[in-house]
Amino acid sequence: MSRWEFVGRTGELNRLLEAVTGEAGRGLFFSGSAGIGKSRLLREGVGALPTDRFAIWSIAASATTAALPFGGLVQVLPAEQPQGLSPAGILRWALNVLQQQAAGRRIVLAIDDAHLLDPPSAALVHLVARAENATVVGTLRDGEQIPLPIRALWTDDLVEHVELTPMPQEETTDLLAAILGGPVDAGSADRLGRLSAGNPLLLRELVHAANGSAELKRTYGIWKWTGRLELAPNLTDLIDTRVGKLTDGVRAVVELVAFGEPLGLHLLRQAAEQSDVETAEERGLITVIQHDRRTNVRLAHPLYGEVMRRRCPVSRTRRLQAHLAELLEQVGKRRRDDLLRVAVWRLDSGTAQDPALLLDAAVQAFTRYDVPLATRLARAALDADGGYDAAELLATILMFADRPDEAIDVLDAVTPEAGDERRLCRWLTVRGMVSYWGLSQESTVEEIASRVEQLSDSADRSRVHAFEAIMRLHRLDTTTAVRLSRRVLDRPAAGVAARELARSTIAYVQAAQGELTRSGTAIAQVHSAAASWRTDMPYLQLALELARGTRLMLTGDLAGIDAIVADEFADLAGAGDFRLGTGYLAILQAYAARLRGQSDAAMRTSLGACAVLATSRVYAGLAQAERAQAAALRGDAVQAVAAMAEADRTHAPGMAVLYPWLEQARGASLAASGDLPGAVKHLGDLVDRLRSDGFAGHEVHVLHDLVRLDQAGMAVGPTCFDGGRRTVAQRLAELSERVDGVLPPLLARHARAAVTDSPTDLLAVADDYAALELTVYAAEATSQAVQRLRRRHSAAANDARERLAGLLGRSDLIRTPALQAGAPVLTEREWQVARLAAHGAPSRAIAERLYLSARTVENHLQRIYAKLGVTGRAELWAALRSIPGHDGGDLS
């Protein structure tokens, strides 16, 4: 990591190059804070200029050279200056020297840290900028005194002056991947991006510090940072330079904000002198932000807080935190977050004595899916004699922190006494959840079912039945799951959380069975009641997302997937390390990327899901299955097979309901490995199983996988009364009338067009797929049309190839069997000849470049035309671009 790759800043780099190479030839100066990337941007821009057209001098001004006349240009001017010249004469001499050395080329003077130039050097830079055959570019640091000749560059309209802003999050993520040599978990990238505030230098130091500890790990090729910051000496020095020396009063302001941000301005004014607050703001240490009707104060940079908190003595830290808690308690906890803030300050200062406060705060933290904070507060509540309620909450949170063994120990220490039905109800459900999903003990279902009879209260029984129902769903006992869920919904006494958990179970089954409209209605009802159940059962969100995500995938609603991935829950789960939530949403995101043909994003996101879920078996197998699908899409058989092996190893038996996704991925893996007969047989068997289980919503997709493998005419299902069996196309036609949504009829049309060998219908289907952003399906249907048109030597084949080339051009690398099936195979020499010919090179020029005879080139071209099914050079470009993995544009 000695020198990192230049990433991002494309717009700024192009602007710099245009300032030099454009017709106007105006220069450009970038201003910005230290480490924002000004110097690197200047180096990259200057390094991209052709030296045959430009005479380039790069100057790095410094505090050392600032005291010497022409010290800033010591790298440019001769060591000996002529004697007896006036100051103006020396400037003209220096300009003449540069022009002579340029030898007719345009002069480019690049000055890094131009604010450090000595007066004569600054004057010369201004003179050069006024010359006809010269351009000046450079950088300036914010907050520094700028020499008047340099400032006059933009006031006299000789150069542009641009403020370089922090790198956006997307570019920060790309830079992290470049520094570490691999993709970074989205949550880690977000946290590191926020800590660095888009400053590349600070980002690099953060990564160096993290890389030297055990907090930065690579799992399934994805880097993940736990968020614990190591303050390396270089990082501390950088922050010290920025903060500078502080008076006691200003330091107190910065420390209060460091421990309390976002801190209300009214509270800060009560705790510190007004003049010190104003000084801290003037020096750029704190920022005052208007949020709704509240005026909050934050530190100007996140790392200021890290340094301040680490360096503050323990005794003063506790005093400050206790003082903050007292101030907020005095003015009253007006907002919902105030309770949580007071509890954390009390806990950190050692003044937390109220178990009710800690318990309420733990509930609030868990409601926000902040698992680490909720764990800490719940444990503190239990230690402060919070009793059974604290134990139940702590055990629940430990389950979602992937610590089920600890959760069981906590619960077993507070086993409810006989006769305490309320506690028994809560204890049964929490212990059942931990035992079933955390420890993969399937017998939990029968244990809960046998003990529910001990409860006489209808609401308590409903809660336990709702949990039993969703466990039975995951165990694939869907009939009992639906029956129990309906029983819960039929009980007026059932609590809101129990009812909505039961509704989520039914919504999932409805989606799997193809009743997608009814499923959507149920999901919307659960979502609308969220405010009523979230405090009681925050993890119900997982059941909701599973039902909603399944429905969206089965309907092919990629925009809907985008919406829930961008929803508030995704942000909260990511920030709070709620891994089951972030992991499942990443699987959905990978699925959408895959169907859009974004194979790079699909692979990266599925690997991220595998990394996040590596310590939890709930969705681990599903993540690996999606990774296998992404690999298969790229034609990477080795990774697809490895991912399926991991899916089998990590998939929990208690998650049997997810088998359609895993087995569908297995079919894709077999096909990618070249075992098409094995893939067809596997998918045919899967169709039979799904039909038996009544999962018509899944069945249409597996039937479509067979269509994609050109098996639309294959017989599937049981023998009919007429002694025959339905074909894939016929079965899809039947299901298109039963399964809701626009997708099943489209899949059935695809099958019918494939069976009838209709290129026109296949192209129409491809257009409809493309309208739904199902780019992979569109490309495959178009490829099938191209194959049929080529066999018929139809003149329409070239237009179809153009359409296929356009679809492949919008995608990353995709190599599915459907795309590869009709793809011609060219030798390496044929590829060289075809590319050159497609770009308009005549046969004689191709022969000279490849050291062949013109006749040999013509012979190659005739074989190429025959293989591609084209009539001449005019059709070559589209034909090459329609071959998966090749764009036809590489002349190397």
Side-chain angles (χ1 to χ4, degrees), residues 35 118 136 195 237 327 455 490 555 566 571 591 619 648 678 787 889 891:
D118 59 281
V136 176
L195 272 175
D237 291 344
L327 285 172
L455 303 174
D490 288 342
T555 56
D571 293 336
Y591 179 91
Y619 292 133
D648 291 336
Q787 294 170 42
L891 293 177

Side-chain angles (χ1 to χ4, degrees), residues 294-310:
R294 176 177 283 189
T295 304
N296 287 331
V297 181
R298 285 188 175 274
L299 292 176
H301 196 288
L303 288 177
Y304 295 173
E306 292 290 341
V307 172
M308 285 294 176
R309 288 189 290 270
R310 297 289 181 90

Side-chain angles (χ1 to χ4, degrees), residues 70-124:
F70 288 112
L73 301 182
V74 69
Q75 307 104 310
V76 173
L77 299 176
E80 297 295 330
Q81 298 178 12
Q83 300 297 315
L85 293 179
S86 66
I90 291 178
L91 290 176
R92 285 194 297 271
W93 163 79
L95 180 59
N96 287 335
V97 168
L98 293 179
Q99 290 174 334
Q100 290 171 11
Q101 293 177 350
R105 296 171 294 170
R106 187 173 187 84
I107 294 172
V108 176
L109 204 56
I111 310 104
D112 193 20
D113 287 338
H115 55 278
L116 294 175
L117 286 174
D118 59 281
S121 294
L124 178 57

Side-chain angles (χ1 to χ4, degrees), residues 347-388:
L347 186 58
D348 289 343
S349 65
T351 59
Q353 299 176 343
D354 182 359
L357 171 69
L358 294 169
L359 185 59
D360 289 345
V363 169
Q364 190 175 114
F366 193 32
T367 302
R368 293 168 51 169
Y369 304 105
D370 190 338
V371 173
L373 180 58
T375 304
R376 186 164 168 253
L377 288 165
R379 192 178 296 280
L382 183 61
D383 292 342
D385 296 327
Y388 174 80

Side-chain angles (χ1 to χ4, degrees), residues 436-493:
Y436 185 82
W437 283 290
L439 301 177
S440 298
Q441 294 179 358
E442 292 185 81
S443 60
T444 304
V445 180
E446 282 71 32
E447 293 172 10
I448 285 184
S450 65
R451 298 193 65 176
V452 71
E453 301 305 322
Q454 301 176 30
L455 303 174
S456 59
D457 183 79
S458 181
D460 291 340
R461 290 169 69 91
S462 294
R463 188 180 183 92
V464 177
H465 276 143
F467 272 87
E468 182 189 348
I470 198 165
M471 289 178 196
R472 289 191 180 277
L473 167 65
H474 284 81
R475 204 172 69 168
L476 208 56
D477 184 359
T478 53
T479 302
T480 307
V482 171
R483 177 173 53 78
L484 288 170
S485 297
R486 295 201 183 284
R487 183 187 300 177
V488 172
L489 293 175
D490 288 342
R491 286 178 179 162

Side-chain angles (χ1 to χ4, degrees), residues 828-838 846 850 852 856-858 860-861 864 876:
E828 185 58 35
R829 177 64 79 189
E830 287 170 344
W831 267 110
Q832 292 173 332
V833 172
R835 289 188 184 111
L836 289 167
I846 297 173
L850 300 180
L852 302 172
T856 301
V857 170
E858 286 298 328
H860 276 309
L861 283 172
I864 291 165
L876 265 180

Side-chain angles (χ1 to χ4, degrees), residues 732-792:
L732 268 173
E734 290 177 3
L735 291 178
S736 68
E737 298 178 1
R738 289 172 40 195
V739 178
D740 301 334
V742 298
L743 189 57
L746 181 54
L747 302 181
R749 281 173 50 208
H750 186 178
R752 184 169 60 253
V755 166
T756 59
D757 268 350
S758 172
T760 302
D761 290 346
L762 283 168
L763 291 173
V765 165
D767 287 341
D768 289 343
Y769 281 143
L772 296 174
E773 296 187 84
L774 301 172
T775 308
V776 172
Y777 296 167
E780 290 178 335
T782 305
S783 178
Q784 290 174 335
V786 168
Q787 294 170 42
R788 287 158 173 80
L789 290 168
R790 281 183 54 205
R791 286 200 297 265
R792 299 173 189 179

Side-chain angles (χ1 to χ4, degrees), residues 404-423:
D405 293 311
E406 290 182 53
I408 288 293
D409 291 341
V410 170
L411 285 170
D412 287 349
V414 290
T415 304
E417 298 177 0
D420 192 340
E421 290 194 7
R422 177 192 168 276
R423 288 189 177 178

